[in-house]
Amino acid sequence: MTKLARACLSLRAHFSTHLRPLAKAQVAPVPVVTCKRQQFNLYQHDHSLPADPERVKFGELPLASDGWRHRRSNGDYFIIHPVQRSYETYALSERSFAELGIREPLVENLKGQHVLSPTHYQVEGIQAVLDGSHMLLAAETGCGKTYTYLVPVVEQILRRRLHEQRREFNTPLVLIITPGRELAQQIGRVAERLTEGLGIRTRVVLGGRTKQQMLNPSFEDIDILVASFGAISKLVTSGIYRMEDVRYVVLDEADTLLDDSFSSKLLHLMRRFPFHKNHLQDLGADIHGTQLILAAATMPSNMDELLSKLVNVETIEQVVSPNLHRLMGHVTQRFMRVRKSDRPQILLDLVRKDAKRNVPTIVFSNKTPACDFVSLHLNGHGFSCVNLNGDMILKLRLGQFEKFQQAEVNILSTTDVASRGLNTVRAAHVINFDFPLYTVDYIHRVGRIGRIGSRNDCLATNLISSQAEIGAVQRLEHAARTTNVLRNVDANVKDPEEAAKREKAAKTEGIFFPGSDLDEVAKHFIGNTHRYRENIIIPKLYGVVQIKTNEEKLVEAAFESCAFKSLMSCVLGYGLGAAIGLFSSSVNPSIADPLAGEKQQTAREIFREMRQATHSYGKNFAVIGAVFAAVECVIESKRGVSDWKNGTYAGAVTGGLIGLRAGVKAGVIGAAGFAAFSTVIDYYMRHR
């Protein structure tokens, strides 16, 4: 009966129409920063933060990376989690391209590139460019800045029918300048697809073949010219490309083009364009003004000062994204404190996991030697990897990035040459094998993932080793915890005094990158007993290069020593002297002179005299060769230079020592004679 009563009450409660209070739902906190040491975890709406976290100064907030300067911190980590989805970051506008005044054929070409609707930022940027003012487009990487300036520029050309006007060959209407070759190729492809069937012609000009293009130039009708800066500056100066009809100048990655490595030459090129007539060019066909458009993912603090050298800053309108100079809110970013010696193995572990899931990965290094090592290290362990850096010759560099883009390989090892502007939409994982010391470089590197069209599970992994890297990480962690903008994004624009000091130090010390980087690579290539590969395979152009063992290096050092050179010169000198002695004794007329009145010598006596003469000449030449080689080697080691003076000094010393046996005067004459003879021989050997 009791069980029956309980069942009835339960059924009544289940089917009752009376309202009952709901149990309070347990909502899991949304993580912002999670750490190995959980006391540093941060969640959204965390009450431990001040009411206005953006006002918290650096150093006032406890960070997980604060203890990373201690030697026992290896193995610690923290993760910055996404706080929004990619579709929320790059929200599409309700307005269409047609509503912005873009004609139908251009819209159809955009649809062919899977660009169906503009983002809010693109709407604002396209309208501003169409208005005709000088323009600065500043927005985070991957938000579609290329279409933001290309679409309105092409629309303006079609409206004014500028491409139908008669112009000289190699006289473009639009000049797009980039700091790198790969970016120029990418923009050129986008422009060609965008203008397909519209009668607008595009050409891409790259560096590396500039002399060939100057000696054997091609001439044709051009409307849009996309070029890397180094190539176009030389070709314009030489008169191969003419700039008098250019109506639009675009500086893509303007922050890089305006830094000290380009600024002086860029200003010289920009003086050719009538930017001051931009607002007058629609008043008449004979007025040619030029609209300046700058696109950048970062804005240095002295941007106005840099732009004032090109145009009147007050005439420049700015379209700035609200996400500029902020951490990418839709990309997971992991920071790992590791030892330098552990980085190669950790890299292998990360790549091995990516290979199992077929994840395209980009590995960034700060310097070319480290970039080369990463490529060789991964290829040596069976992971196909292509290498891309600025020190590669053009023949090797061309096509490397395309192999990664076209999925021929899934790993790209590169320096910051691939961090600016490239549309790496298929990449899903960025590994900073060397952590960038400048915030601007970190922004650009992480910007290779989480772009429009990228997958939603993108990840950036950072390996932190040095004290300088820890300082840079702490500022990033502070920005993540306070949702503040990133500071110090103008490090790519160098202080002239500091740059001059570094250049002077480099010339004095003979180095061009920190010794720690060289030591790191040398440890793997030279000083480490564990060799990752028996042979370094460099493309077929160069063949196979063998890694030298310690025994090979010892033998090579012995061959280069002064003692070995002196010994070899002694042996060769004896051989040469013996040959001369043998020849002179064999033709000596006193040996077989019938008029001498003496008894003719026997064959044995003749051979004995020949042997004595041969030995005498050989001994003298051996002494001269040994002394000369030893003196020249010592002089060359002390001077550190290999030139004609070494032979002259060595000849003077050798001749003086030999002549001193007959007196001071003979020594002086011998020194002068040997010095002159050595100089003549050295000149002949160097200039034959």
Side-chain angles (χ1 to χ4, degrees):
M1 290 296 294
T2 305
K3 291 182 179 180
L4 181 62
R6 287 179 180 177
C8 292
L9 290 174
S10 176
L11 289 172
R12 179 185 176 188
H14 182 73
F15 291 105
S16 175
T17 57
H18 292 285
L19 295 176
R20 298 184 301 276
L22 295 174
K24 190 174 182 179
Q26 295 292 330
V27 180
V30 179
V32 177
V33 180
T34 56
C35 314
K36 182 178 181 180
R37 293 172 291 165
Q38 296 184 5
Q39 64 267 30
F40 291 100
N41 287 357
L42 177 67
Y43 301 93
Q44 286 187 2
H45 312 298
D46 195 332
H47 299 291
S48 62
L49 284 176
D52 190 2
E54 293 189 5
R55 293 183 176 272
V56 178
K57 296 181 180 180
F58 179 73
E60 296 180 355
L61 197 67
L63 305 175
S65 55
D66 279 341
W68 282 12
R69 298 188 183 277
H70 196 278
R71 58 184 178 84
R72 293 187 178 179
S73 63
N74 292 311
D76 199 6
Y77 66 87
F78 71 89
I79 302 172
I80 300 176
H81 294 269
V83 294
Q84 57 184 173
R85 301 288 185 180
S86 57
Y87 64 83
E88 296 173 335
T89 305
Y90 306 121
L92 296 178
S93 173
E94 296 178 354
R95 302 182 64 182
S96 65
F97 285 107
E99 292 175 351
L100 295 174
I102 308 301
R103 64 190 60 215
E104 184 64 24
L106 202 52
V107 174
E108 290 300 319
N109 287 345
L110 285 168
K111 290 180 180 179
Q113 301 303 312
H114 309 290
V115 182
L116 306 180
S117 299
T119 63
H120 288 296
Y121 180 82
Q122 287 176 330
V123 167
E124 188 176 353
I126 289 173
Q127 286 180 319
V129 175
L130 285 174
D131 289 340
S133 300
H134 297 314
M135 187 59 52
L136 172 61
L137 303 173
E140 66 277 10
T141 59
C143 69
K145 291 189 293 296
T146 303
Y147 284 118
T148 305
Y149 66 74
L150 261 183
V151 171
V153 165
V154 173
E155 175 63 30
Q156 289 280 46
I157 292 176
L158 296 173
R159 286 181 186 178
R160 299 176 179 178
R161 297 187 175 181
L162 297 176
H163 62 300
E164 299 176 1
Q165 299 175 2
R166 185 174 181 83
R167 288 173 283 115
E168 299 289 339
F169 288 135
N170 286 6
T171 306
L173 294 169
V174 182
L175 175 63
I176 303 176
I177 302 177
T178 71
R181 300 166 185 169
E182 287 75 19
L183 181 55
Q185 288 178 310
Q186 173 182 295
I187 296 175
R189 285 193 294 267
V190 172
E192 288 175 354
R193 295 167 183 168
L194 185 64
T195 58
E196 186 176 357
L198 299 178
I200 295 178
R201 293 141 299 197
T202 301
R203 177 188 282 185
V204 178
V205 176
L206 305 177
R209 297 173 180 171
T210 310
K211 291 184 179 179
Q212 180 181 349
Q213 296 178 52
M214 293 170 66
L215 295 174
N216 187 24
S218 60
F219 295 92
E220 59 182 333
D221 289 326
I222 304 173
D223 297 313
I224 300 177
L225 178 62
V226 186
S228 58
F229 174 71
I232 194 60
S233 62
K234 296 175 184 177
L235 295 175
V236 169
T237 303
S238 62
I240 294 176
Y241 290 96
R242 306 176 63 176
M243 297 289 110
E244 55 264 25
D245 287 332
V246 171
R247 297 294 187 92
Y248 306 92
V249 172
V250 180
L251 301 183
D252 204 313
E253 298 299 327
D255 53 337
T256 304
L257 287 171
L258 290 171
D259 74 13
D260 287 349
S261 58
F262 293 102
S263 60
S264 60
K265 295 181 180 179
L266 180 67
L267 293 175
H268 178 73
L269 178 62
M270 291 295 104
R271 292 192 184 100
R272 296 175 177 269
F273 304 108
F275 295 123
H276 60 288
K277 295 182 181 180
N278 178 50
H279 62 293
L280 303 174
Q281 59 182 335
D282 288 330
L283 298 180
D286 58 335
I287 300 178
H288 289 179
T290 303
Q291 181 180 4
L292 177 64
I293 303 171
L294 305 105
T298 54
M299 285 180 58
S301 57
N302 60 342
M303 179 65 90
D304 288 345
E305 178 185 349
L306 297 172
L307 294 179
S308 65
K309 300 176 182 179
L310 300 177
V311 294
N312 183 0
V313 178
E314 297 180 356
T315 64
I316 300 178
E317 293 188 15
Q318 298 185 5
V319 179
V320 182
S321 167
N323 296 322
L324 185 70
H325 296 172
R326 293 183 182 274
L327 290 171
M328 300 188 75
H330 58 288
V331 173
T332 304
Q333 300 168 60
R334 176 172 57 186
F335 298 81
M336 304 168 62
R337 178 71 168 95
V338 299
R339 297 185 183 91
K340 273 192 173 183
S341 57
D342 294 337
R343 288 189 302 171
Q345 185 58 48
I346 294 174
L347 176 64
L348 277 180
D349 295 339
L350 294 172
V351 169
R352 188 174 289 111
K353 292 178 182 178
D354 289 342
K356 292 179 180 179
R357 299 185 293 123
N358 197 30
V359 176
T361 304
I362 303 178
V363 184
F364 281 103
S365 304
N366 290 343
K367 299 292 181 181
T368 298
C371 176
D372 294 337
F373 164 72
V374 168
S375 177
L376 295 168
H377 182 53
L378 294 179
N379 280 298
H381 283 79
F383 300 103
S384 297
C385 173
V386 292
N387 188 6
L388 177 64
N389 59 71
D391 292 338
M392 297 174 67
I393 63 175
L394 184 62
K395 289 183 180 180
L396 298 181
R397 182 170 170 177
L398 288 179
Q400 294 292 89
F401 180 66
E402 283 69 21
K403 290 180 182 178
F404 177 78
Q405 288 287 73
Q406 295 170 7
E408 294 182 23
V409 294
N410 266 353
I411 307 173
L412 172 66
S413 173
T414 183
T415 58
D416 285 312
V417 72
S419 68
R420 298 297 198 273
L422 296 183
N423 186 25
T424 52
V425 69
R426 72 178 293 263
H429 191 189
V430 164
I431 301 175
N432 281 317
F433 183 75
D434 292 327
F435 190 78
L437 300 182
Y438 296 139
T439 304
V440 63
D441 293 330
Y442 182 80
I443 292 174
H444 283 286
R445 289 185 184 184
V446 178
R448 298 313 97 209
I449 54 178
R451 307 172 69 84
I452 294 180
S454 295
R455 49 198 288 178
N456 293 324
D457 58 344
C458 293
L459 171 66
T461 301
N462 305 280
L463 307 183
I464 316 300
S465 301
S466 69
Q467 297 295 318
E469 293 172 350
I470 294 172
V473 168
Q474 289 176 345
R475 296 189 177 278
L476 293 176
E477 185 185 356
H478 176 84
R481 291 179 179 274
T482 59
T483 64
N484 210 338
V485 296
L486 296 169
R487 306 296 180 184
N488 190 30
V489 294
D490 54 353
N492 61 326
V493 180
K494 307 171 184 64
D495 180 16
E497 295 183 1
E498 184 65 24
K501 290 179 181 178
R502 292 184 180 181
E503 182 178 359
K504 183 178 180 181
K507 290 181 178 179
T508 303
E509 300 174 11
I511 59 172
F512 297 94
F513 51 88
S516 58
D517 291 343
L518 181 60
D519 292 340
E520 183 69 14
V521 176
K523 180 176 65 177
H524 295 289
F525 280 101
I526 301 173
N528 200 334
T529 56
H530 175 66
R531 289 161 58 183
Y532 294 101
R533 294 185 68 174
E534 288 298 321
N535 295 318
I536 302 176
I537 307 298
I538 298 177
K540 294 180 181 178
L541 184 64
Y542 296 104
V544 180
V545 179
Q546 190 80 18
I547 298 179
K548 296 177 181 177
T549 62
N550 290 331
E551 293 77 9
E552 292 171 338
K553 287 182 283 184
L554 287 174
V555 172
E556 183 177 331
F559 284 168
E560 292 295 326
S561 66
C562 292
F564 181 81
K565 290 180 179 180
S566 180
L567 178 61
M568 289 301 298
S569 296
C570 179
V571 173
L572 294 176
Y574 185 88
L576 178 62
I580 294 175
L582 179 62
F583 175 77
S584 61
S585 63
S586 64
V587 299
N588 189 351
S590 63
I591 295 179
D593 187 3
L595 302 177
E598 298 181 0
K599 184 180 179 180
Q600 190 172 359
Q601 291 179 312
T602 63
R604 179 178 296 179
E605 292 173 338
I606 292 174
F607 285 126
R608 183 173 63 248
E609 288 188 7
M610 291 175 64
R611 184 176 66 251
Q612 291 173 353
T614 300
H615 177 69
S616 177
Y617 273 90
K619 183 177 65 174
N620 292 334
F621 272 80
V623 172
I624 293 173
V627 173
F628 181 87
V631 173
E632 184 182 34
C633 182
V634 172
I635 292 174
E636 184 176 346
S637 300
K638 294 296 183 182
R639 293 184 67 231
V641 179
S642 178
D643 57 13
W644 62 271
K645 294 181 180 179
N646 296 333
T648 301
Y649 296 154
V653 173
T654 304
L657 291 175
I658 295 174
L660 278 177
R661 294 183 296 179
V664 177
K665 184 178 180 180
V668 173
I669 295 174
F674 265 82
F677 178 75
S678 300
T679 304
V680 171
I681 295 298
D682 188 85
Y683 179 83
Y684 172 76
M685 296 299 294
R686 290 177 183 269
H687 297 84
R688 61 177 178 175

